[in-house]
């Protein structure tokens, strides 16, 4: 990451604007809901989306609009006479299900090293558990109070895009082609751009601002799948259950108990290793639903992980002819690597923008997914840009103020590079 003496003047200026926006946005609860049948999955996401629409209109973006799916889009017109392909920047407004996003109370502090105790919550951010923390001594950080998540995933990206747009509006001397922005719901439940009108949107390339460490860019994500098991036992009053009862909870426990203990799980893998991960269990002794997410960088290995789960389900179901296990599988998104490698200029332009900030760009692979995975598959090649946020989906989430300025500046510089090449 950059030290203070390498932060460019625009990045330093942009940081405070980004923080002001961020602190407003995170106080709006936008948690999505996987089991909802509406789109967006929760109406409260529209509270932030409509706010963004108003802010874009206040900046003078005349075509700013929100559609029936909650997608907020707008275009910043070109400032150059020659033709430049239109590019876009995306960020999602929803937050994850793991931790509440209601009543967020962000805390700004100067970090002097060591552990960060989050009020009286019992939560602590420790350098050994959050390795990037040691690189931020002397920097301003924003944390939670330990009772909610922060929402930097991805309200930091939202704030940084809005800050970059405001800067470009205020500085028409900065050369850039048409710059489009899009804010969407439901990324955290894998449906962020399901209905996005890629063809009419008109961009030739896009960037999600949904990453982590300053200087990192990603053109590769996991491929993702979901597996649902509906486990049916045999119900009867427990007082007369001998020889009759088949307990679905015990069957579900048997399924989970057969998962590999030392491999193929998030807690035992790193780098390019994939995993299967049980995320939801619900039901009672007669019927239980188990949900898994399955991840790998290679599609054939993703298929192997799914087959492992199907095999476990079949074995457990065969243990008693009176039970059944119905398995549903679906691919959520694919690794965007292969498509982006066919358009090397998209990532190359981003790398040049990062270098102009005094950072050395580092290509990393995301052990997760972004809306860029789906957008790329839909025909809009979309790599990912850092935001400066860390430890997402937890009460220990934090973000560096200086890095927020760098992320906003990266958006500005990316638009400039496209106009100059």
């Amino acid at each position: 990451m950059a030290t203070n003496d390498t932060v460019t003047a625009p990045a330093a200026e942009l940081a405070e604007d980004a923080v002001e926006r961020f602190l407003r946005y995170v106080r709006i609860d936008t948690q999505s809901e996987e089991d909802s049948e509406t789109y967006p999955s929760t109406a409260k996401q529209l509270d932030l989306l409509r706010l963004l629409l108003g802010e874009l209109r206040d900046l003078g973006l005349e075509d700013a609009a929100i559609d029936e799916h909650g997608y907020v889009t707008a275009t910043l017109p070109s400032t150059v006479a020659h033709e430049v392909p239109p590019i876009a920047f995306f960020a999602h407004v929803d937050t994850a299900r793991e931790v509440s996003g209601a009543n967020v109370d962000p805390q700004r502090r100067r970090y002097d090293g060591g552990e960060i105790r989050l009020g009286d919550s019992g939560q602590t951010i420790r350098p050994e558990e959050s390795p990037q923390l040691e690189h931020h001594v002397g920097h301003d950080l924003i944390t939670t109070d330990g009772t909610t998540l922060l929402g930097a995933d991805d309200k930091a990206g939202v704030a940084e895009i809005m800050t970059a747009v405001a800067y470009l509006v205020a500085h028409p001397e900065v050369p850039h082609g048409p710059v489009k922005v899009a804010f969407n719901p439901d990324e955290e439940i894998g449906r962020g751009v399901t209905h996005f009108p890629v063809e009419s949107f008109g961009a030739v390339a896009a960037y999600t601002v949904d990453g982590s460490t300053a200087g990192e860019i990603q053109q590769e994500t996991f491929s993702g799948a979901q597996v649902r098991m509906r486990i049916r036992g045999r119900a009867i009053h427990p007082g007369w259950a001998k020889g009759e009862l088949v307990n679905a909870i015990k069957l579900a426990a048997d399924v989970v108990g057969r998962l590999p203990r030392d491999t193929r799980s998030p807690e035992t893998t790193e780098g390019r290793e994939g995993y299967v991960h049980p995320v939801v269990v619900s039901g009672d002794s007669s019927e239980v639903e188990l949900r898994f997410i399955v991840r790998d960088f290679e599609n054939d290995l993703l298929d192997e992980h799914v087959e492992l789960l199907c095999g476990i389900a079949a074995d457990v179901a065969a243990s008693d002819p009176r039970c059944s296990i119905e398995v549903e599988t679906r691919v959520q998104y694919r690794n965007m690597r292969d498509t982006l490698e066919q358009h090397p200029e998209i990532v190359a332009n981003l790398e040049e923008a990062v270098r102009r900030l005094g950072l050395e760009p580092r290509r990393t692979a995301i052990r997760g997914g972004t809306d860029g995975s789906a957008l790329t598959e839909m025909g809009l090649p979309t790599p990912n840009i850092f935001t400066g946020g860390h430890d997402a989906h937890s009460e220990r989430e934090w973000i560096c103020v200086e890095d927020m300025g760098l992320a906003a500046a990266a958006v500005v510089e990316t638009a400039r590079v496209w106009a100059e090449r």
Side-chain angles (χ1 to χ4, degrees), residues 236-290:
I236 193 171
H237 189 288
W240 293 271
K242 184 175 181 179
E244 299 289 339
L245 175 68
V246 181
N247 192 316
I249 294 175
K250 291 182 177 179
L251 294 171
D254 193 6
V255 170
V256 174
R258 296 186 187 212
L259 296 176
R261 294 184 180 273
D262 300 322
T263 61
R264 299 204 202 193
S265 67
E267 60 268 32
T268 61
T269 55
E270 61 182 351
R272 300 189 63 80
E273 299 172 308
Y275 58 76
V276 297
H277 180 41
V279 291
V280 174
V281 57
S282 61
D284 53 34
S285 61
S286 62
E287 186 171 315
V288 170
E289 182 184 46
L290 275 177

Side-chain angles (χ1 to χ4, degrees), residues 35 37 73 88 99 123 126-127 134 148 152 192 205 222 244 246 257 263 272 274 283 344 387 391 407 410:
D35 288 331
E37 296 182 357
T73 57
V99 180
Q123 295 285 346
R126 298 182 175 88
E134 66 178 350
T148 69
F222 273 149
E244 299 289 339
V246 181
T263 61
R272 300 189 63 80
T387 63
D391 297 338

